[in-house]
Amino acid sequence: MTPTEIRIVRGNITERPVDAIVNAANRTLLGGGGVDGAIHRAAGPELLVECRTLAGCETGHAKITKAHGIRQAKHVIHTVGPIFGKHHGAEAGLLASCYAESLQLAVAHGCKSIAFPSISTGAYGYPVEQASRIALTAIRDFVHANPGSLDLVEIVAFSEHDYKTYRQAQDEIFVDSAGNNA
Ligand code: APR
């Protein structure tokens, strides 16, 4: 069984050639700025029409739609990250849950590849040094518990600083017991 590839890339998530693109949404699921705005612009107005049928999404949870105008993808998975400092110390668990639930939804819908943005580290103020470790730990735990379920998990960094931070986190977290990169 080929292991799941975990890849940190730099770029625009709407252009990634994967089955599922993850959106860092808000609880209304009715669009916004940042990556939410970029995904809605790329997907077109039909995405909003579908999102209106979902009745929102709670923090830490995820919901799935079609990808509409984002032709190379099958689905958009909308997840709502925590706002740093606003969840009485529960932020880390809520952020980890965003990744875990998005991965579960992707697999449940037959996706073999998925791209995440750096959830909560923009408007929601989560320090990227902390968020990157939470993200990659959640991804590692999911792929170890579900071997072969996915071929590829990407994190798409929008800035050079974020790219380097996620790469450092990946080197720390994906190390096997012998100290080799796993
Ligand atoms: N591709 C990849 N990453 C992107 C893109 C893009 N096209 N545009 C922005 N980003 C990055 C940001 O640079 C940041 O690193 O996505 C990360 C998440 O930032 P936000 O989009 O601000 O998301 P978040 O911090 O989770 O805040 C969510 O912002 O846009 C609103 O509706 C959204 O209310 C919600 C809140």
Side-chain angles (χ1 to χ4, degrees), residues 126-151:
Y126 218 117
V128 67
E129 288 72 18
Q130 296 176 49
S132 56
R133 274 75 180 171
I134 293 165
L136 285 163
T137 300
I139 291 165
R140 181 199 61 193
D141 292 351
F142 182 88
V143 299
H144 286 180
N146 304 274
S149 60
L150 286 163
D151 296 333

Side-chain angles (χ1 to χ4, degrees), residues 9 29 33-34 37 42 44 51 69 71 73 80 96 98-99 114 125-126 170 176 181:
V9 299
L29 295 188
C51 284
R71 298 272 175 240
V80 181
C98 287
Y99 288 91
I114 183 170
Y126 218 117
Q170 182 181 28
D176 64 20
N181 271 348

Side-chain angles (χ1 to χ4, degrees), residues 61-85:
H61 294 285
K63 291 192 177 179
I64 194 167
T65 66
K66 296 190 288 292
H68 297 282
I70 304 177
R71 298 272 175 240
Q72 80 280 6
K74 293 176 184 154
H75 294 287
V76 175
I77 293 173
H78 307 262
T79 193
V80 181
I83 301 172
F84 190 67

Side-chain angles (χ1 to χ4, degrees), residues 26-47:
N26 60 58
R27 291 173 61 230
T28 71
L29 295 188
L30 299 179
V35 72
D36 197 1
I39 287 173
H40 275 271
R41 280 192 297 278
E46 289 309 308
L47 177 60

Side-chain angles (χ1 to χ4, degrees), residues 11-13 24-26 31-36 38 118-124 158 162:
N12 182 336
I13 198 168
N26 60 58
V35 72
D36 197 1
S118 177
I119 299 168
S120 283
T121 65
Y124 281 2
F158 206 48
D162 286 1

